Amino acid sequence: MALIVAGTLAGTGAAFAQAAPVPQSDPAAPQSGDEVDIVVTGFRASLENAVAEKKNRDQVVESISAEDIGKLPDASIAESIARLPGLTSQRISGRSNSISIRGFAPDFSTTLLNGREQTSTGDNRAVEYDQYPAEIMSQVLVYKTGQANLVGQGLSGTVDLRTVRPLEYGRQAISIGGRGTYADLGKLNAGSRDKGYRVSGTYIDQYADDTIGIALSGNYLDEPYQIQEFNAWGYAGFNGQGVIGGSKSYVTSTRLKRLGLSGTLQYRPVPNLTVTVDGFYSDFNDDQIKRGIELPLGYGQDFNSPTNPNGVKLTNTTANSDGFVTSGTFGNVEGVVRNDAFERKAKLYSFGYNMAWRGDDGWNATLDASYSKTDRQEIILESYAGTGYGQNAGAKDTISFTSGETGTRFSPTLNYSDPNLILLTDPLGWGGANLQAGYFNDRIAQYRFEVEKELDDFFGAVKFGLNYTDRDKSLTPDEALLALSGGLRQLRIPDQYVKESTSLSYLGLGPMLSYDPRDLLAGGIYSLIPNTSLDVPAKAFRIEEDLMTMYVQADINQDIGGSVLTGNIGLQAVNTEQKSSGLVAAAGALSPTIRGADYWDLLPSLNLSLRMPGDWVIRAGAARQVQRPRLDDMRVSQGYGYNPQERIITGGGGNPFLRPIRSNSFDLTLEKYFGRSGYIAVQGFYKDLKSFVYNQTIPFDYAGFPTPTGTPPGTPTLGRADVPINGEGAASMASNSPPPCRSAPSHRSSTGSA
């Protein structure tokens, strides 16, 4: 349960459009009784439009309207949405790209484009907003309560991104804009940038006596992001006190390029019929280089072991009153110099066709068809360097440190930028270097038909609708180990590949040796060795969902004394067929398998708004809401491996039989409006989760599965698996279905998989 107080007021300063005084001597000045049209534009108009949208809706919504064509309040859609009450954005690589509604993670909400479900460039359902240029959006609506004719709604809320409709806009508009960006941290990595730009343009016009309308928008950005981070491995025990277990901190330089194109064509041959065709395209390229030094400290090799003089030692400690070691000196530290590259490329296509008929006899009909597709390629290349191959083979460091509320600073004795000291190698036997690639494909086809009959009664209208959604999302992984060519275990980096050193002075570590691992691979310094471990194909999945949604909704409009009661009552019936394809073990071999489920959800909803004199509005909402499970939790494949710490086989995977998370949701709001200029509101909501998804650890017999590499003879086949399941209130899994599993914990060992 939560309570939110929110409000907004449209300003009246000089920056806003106002009516100018008319000189009395002007012969063309309007005389008494003449009408004067005052057109409010700019930021004030955007606030008034947002206020009107919220006031006139029958459910609890939040709204943002563009100040002008191509001018939402922020450069990022997510940052604009985060202005709204009960919403916040989450940052990745320094930019806002996902939204949390009412404290729920992004996976609990849904994003629509012009009312249609969209594919995601992420691993699951949550849309990443940096794929959508703010400049091409005219409005954003956030529905906090559900209603029957809102298809594809989320459990915490539904975000609907709106592009301009040229016939409704009603006039010609040409907009060209640009802005520069500057990263005040500077160029943290060699070859990176600290300056960037974005440009945009929009054209809107109407033709043939306003029966044809066209809107075209484009945006291109090339922007840098620079990040300094501190990341501790955790905190280890030391003589009854706590001490930093290690550091895995990086400086990251990102260059984001994105092309966004949007177009809408409207045709209204007769006043009753409007045909709209629109399309959206986004080409997204995110290029990152990450550099840092991993320092195994309190979790290092044989930490303070009395029997191993080569283990990590801690001396000269100082602790605070809470028993936390705030300073000291670590000896025998073997640092790992990391130069990692990350590339992400994604293309998003979205098309829609809408035909709307509004009859003179009160009968209305809408036919809508849409298609959304995302292709994404992601490559992660990790490269390690150090003073020697394997543990105790090279020079070790003695590092003093101080830990405080803002992290830990270090004072090393080794020079981590010396190319004669820091070699390409596998310093701690972690596997040297590797390359991971993933190819994601996401597709949604959606078809919808709705019939509405307007009434002159307690119910102002009744709507019947049918919607079919077909979604298909898949991941194809590819992994390889990077080995030094010629069978070498260590190599001094050739001078032509050495970049300007990267400064880690914010950590006290000074400069570090820098190179681009992609250059080493292209130059033949590294060779690719395909990773033939069976856990690679086990990461692959394909999820298919077919949803048939039928709904009926009655809109309420009734005078009650001096007040007006509006709202709606309705019911959705949703049939879901889900299938998961992947590899499972059968008779000791990997076999392609398809498993899934078929179930119904009934989702009643009620929204009431009592509009009282004095511009007071009381809203109440109640609905049954669902959120379909994460797509990777629904995979049928499994991964597992030998766990040397527990001396058993452990693993996990997905659950193709998962049902949605279900909630009984209630909302109550009190709103006071000040004409069109502003409002103040108090919102309260309560969500009773009747079903949820969590991970359960269960015994699992791996008999008949391929034996993981490195498993000692005699290891029992009975091990452990982590399974995503539905919590209390969910439909139980079929009794004859073998328990699916979840991904194995990371412990850097050879694994088998199924």
Side-chain angles (χ1 to χ4, degrees), residues 71 181 238 241 318 460 493 521 534 542 554 560 575 612 647 664 670 714-715:
K71 293 180 64 177
T181 56
F238 172 73
Q241 300 169 326
T318 301
I493 304 174
L521 180 59
L534 295 179
R542 180 182 179 186
I560 302 178
N575 175 248
M612 299 178 294
R647 299 180 181 178
N664 293 334
L670 175 64
T715 299

Side-chain angles (χ1 to χ4, degrees), residues 74-78 95-97 121 128-137 197-200 218-223 225 255-261 280-286 344 346-348:
D74 298 277
S76 162
I77 285 284
R95 60 184 185 269
S96 296
N97 78 335
T121 56
E128 297 183 340
Y129 287 93
D130 50 14
Q131 195 78 22
Y132 297 89
E135 290 87 346
I136 70 172
M137 300 299 166
Y197 66 94
R198 58 194 302 157
V199 293
S200 62
N219 168 274
Y220 181 78
L221 69 80
D222 185 346
E223 291 183 338
Y225 295 87
R255 185 178 181 185
L256 174 62
K257 297 180 180 180
R258 183 194 62 206
L259 171 66
L261 301 173
F280 171 72
Y281 169 76
S282 175
D283 188 350
F284 178 94
N285 190 344
D286 186 2
R344 189 182 202 188
K347 293 186 178 181
L348 188 154

Side-chain angles (χ1 to χ4, degrees), residues 259-300:
L259 171 66
L261 301 173
S262 175
T264 300
L265 174 66
Q266 284 191 296
Y267 177 50
R268 187 175 291 156
V270 294
N272 304 82
L273 178 65
T274 302
V275 178
T276 304
V277 180
D278 51 17
F280 171 72
Y281 169 76
S282 175
D283 188 350
F284 178 94
N285 190 344
D286 186 2
D287 191 309
Q288 292 186 9
I289 190 76
K290 298 174 69 73
R291 295 189 172 105
I293 304 174
E294 285 200 61
L295 298 173
L297 302 172
Y299 287 136

Side-chain angles (χ1 to χ4, degrees), residues 326-544:
T326 56
S327 65
T329 302
F330 283 103
N332 292 337
V333 176
E334 296 183 80
V336 180
V337 175
R338 298 285 298 269
N339 285 260
D340 299 347
F342 174 90
E343 295 181 4
R344 189 182 202 188
K345 299 180 180 180
K347 293 186 178 181
L348 188 154
Y349 310 83
S350 182
F351 304 97
Y353 172 86
N354 181 278
M355 184 169 61
W357 171 266
R358 298 194 63 83
D360 296 328
D361 55 357
W363 283 97
N364 306 319
T366 302
L367 174 66
D368 192 277
S370 63
Y371 180 81
S372 178
K373 183 177 185 292
T374 295
D375 295 322
R376 169 185 150 203
Q377 176 181 335
E378 185 172 294
I379 299 176
I380 302 172
L381 198 159
E382 298 179 354
S383 175
Y384 301 173
T387 60
Y389 177 80
Q391 293 180 342
N392 306 318
K396 295 188 177 183
D397 202 357
T398 299
I399 300 179
S400 300
F401 73 95
T402 57
S403 293
E405 294 181 355
T406 58
T408 301
R409 286 184 61 87
F410 305 95
S411 296
T413 57
L414 293 181
N415 179 5
Y416 288 95
S417 65
D418 184 355
N420 294 310
L421 175 67
I422 304 301
L423 310 174
L424 288 177
T425 188
D426 184 6
L428 296 178
W430 288 350
N434 63 81
L435 181 147
Q436 302 176 27
Y439 305 91
F440 291 82
N441 293 280
D442 197 0
R443 176 188 59 79
I444 295 178
Q446 190 170 19
Y447 312 92
R448 180 173 179 176
F449 180 70
E450 179 182 283
V451 176
E452 177 186 26
K453 173 59 178 175
E454 297 177 1
L455 305 173
D456 188 14
D457 206 338
F458 178 81
F459 293 115
V462 177
K463 304 172 183 177
F464 304 89
L466 180 67
N467 183 88
Y468 173 73
T469 302
D470 175 17
R471 182 167 197 167
D472 186 322
K473 186 158 190 168
S474 62
L475 162 64
T476 303
D478 185 14
E479 297 187 13
L481 302 177
L482 271 69
L484 290 171
S485 299
L488 299 177
R489 289 190 171 184
Q490 62 186 42
L491 177 69
R492 184 188 187 278
I493 304 174
D495 291 340
Q496 66 266 32
Y497 296 108
V498 177
K499 305 282 188 181
E500 179 184 351
S501 61
T502 296
S503 174
L504 302 177
S505 57
Y506 74 103
L507 298 170
L509 292 173
M512 63 164 280
L513 186 67
S514 300
Y515 57 89
D516 192 324
R518 293 168 292 191
D519 294 342
L520 298 180
L521 180 59
I525 304 300
Y526 277 135
S527 298
L528 285 178
I529 301 176
N531 186 352
T532 58
S533 174
L534 295 179
D535 65 341
V536 177
K539 297 177 183 178
F541 67 80
R542 180 182 179 186
I543 307 298
E544 300 173 80

